[in-house]
Amino acid sequence: QKEVEQDPGPLSVPEGAIVSLNCTYSNSAFQYFMWYRQYSRKGPELLMYTYSSGNKEDGRFTAQVDKSSKYISLFIRDSQPSDSATYLCAMSSNAGNMLTFGGGTRLMVKP
Amino acid sequence: ETGVTQTPRHLVMGMTNKKSLKCEQHLGHNAMYWYKQSAKKPLELMFVYSLEERVENNSVPSRFSPECPNSSHLFLHLHTLQPEDSALYLCASSQEQQGGTPLHFGNGTRLTVT
């Protein structure tokens, strides 16, 4: 079993749809949870950052962490074609900064 | 200047060649990383440097040799690579090498080994 599981997609949605991206994990020591967005031929860029359980909202993006279920989500409201990218979840414990990444979900938002 | 700059953007090399990848960060960070990104696989951590000292070598073959001359520069020296080493090599930096510190990535070097 992989330490972090993420559906690779691709996920294709129409413009304006609400998008839900998810990751599950097995290591209960993970405390820090991040979402990175990676456009084609670019490096990943940090999109959302949360510590422990709870929700965090930033504009059209909401990150949720449910540590009891070992499940994290990223919601994108009013999705735009410019949101088309690969979304990577990443997480780490307090020990060092060895982020463990999911394999990424490719999202396509069609106009 | 972007925060983390990698050169070259693309590299094609034969299995007997020696080449180097370069990374420079302009963020004043103390930790730098090399990651390998292959198709349909999660990012694989290769090396971590904190304050110019190597703190992680994630079972990487010796044909990959990192060098960190100062906190702003990181190199990955390559020799006698295999075709399966073809991938996107990403450099990243972070303020500290501590749990939860976000990484800032460069745009990578696309390496093709022929």
Side-chain angles (χ1 to χ4, degrees):
Chain A
Q1 182 190 9
K2 294 179 184 176
E3 205 166 9
V4 178
E5 298 272 6
Q6 186 175 8
D7 188 328
L11 177 63
S12 181
V13 301
E15 183 176 355
I18 296 174
V19 176
S20 173
L21 304 169
N22 311 293
C23 287
T24 58
Y25 63 94
S26 57
N27 188 345
S28 58
F30 288 145
Q31 297 279 357
Y32 302 92
F33 303 91
M34 304 172 201
W35 286 95
Y36 285 82
R37 178 176 62 195
Q38 185 174 20
Y39 290 115
S40 179
R41 291 184 290 277
K42 297 286 189 180
E45 57 177 332
L46 182 67
L47 194 59
M48 297 289 282
Y49 173 102
T50 52
Y51 171 72
S52 195
S53 286
N55 294 358
K56 183 173 183 178
E57 188 173 322
D58 183 0
R60 297 185 294 111
F61 299 90
T62 299
Q64 286 186 352
V65 175
D66 182 348
K67 290 189 68 181
S68 62
S69 302
K70 298 191 180 69
Y71 187 88
I72 69 171
S73 301
L74 177 70
F75 297 96
I76 307 174
R77 291 182 298 280
D78 187 25
S79 56
Q80 302 295 309
S82 58
D83 295 327
S84 298
T86 297
Y87 290 80
L88 307 167
C89 63
M91 46 201 80
S92 72
S93 65
N94 284 320
N97 196 31
M98 309 312 169
L99 280 177
T100 300
F101 284 84
T105 299
R106 185 175 166 217
L107 171 66
M108 295 184 292
V109 181
K110 298 191 179 298
Chain B
E1 283 284 358
T2 57
V4 180
T5 304
Q6 289 187 246
T7 54
R9 289 298 311 274
H10 302 274
L11 178 63
V12 179
M13 59 186 290
M15 289 190 284
T16 58
N17 291 159
K18 290 185 179 180
K19 296 285 184 184
S20 296
L21 310 184
K22 179 183 176 182
C23 176
E24 183 175 0
Q25 59 100 355
H26 308 275
L27 300 168
H29 288 169
N30 292 321
M32 296 188 76
Y33 309 75
W34 280 115
Y35 280 87
K36 177 183 179 181
Q37 188 174 35
S38 304
K40 303 187 188 305
K41 293 177 68 176
L43 283 170
E44 299 174 54
L45 177 65
M46 300 177 71
F47 300 104
V48 181
Y49 279 82
S50 178
L51 297 170
E52 302 152 44
E53 296 290 326
R54 190 191 306 181
V55 296
E56 181 82 10
N57 175 355
N58 211 24
S59 302
V60 179
S62 59
R63 57 186 184 268
F64 295 92
S65 174
E67 178 189 2
C68 188
N70 55 62
S71 59
S72 298
H73 293 86
L74 186 65
F75 295 89
L76 188 63
H77 304 299
L78 316 171
H79 66 97
T80 58
L81 294 191
Q82 304 299 310
E84 60 265 29
D85 297 322
S86 298
L88 181 68
Y89 288 84
L90 291 163
C91 173
S93 69
S94 64
Q95 184 62 54
E96 305 291 344
Q97 195 252 316
Q98 294 179 9
T101 309
L103 298 178
H104 297 256
F105 286 90
N107 286 327
T109 295
R110 173 68 62 185
L111 174 67
T112 303
V113 181
T114 61

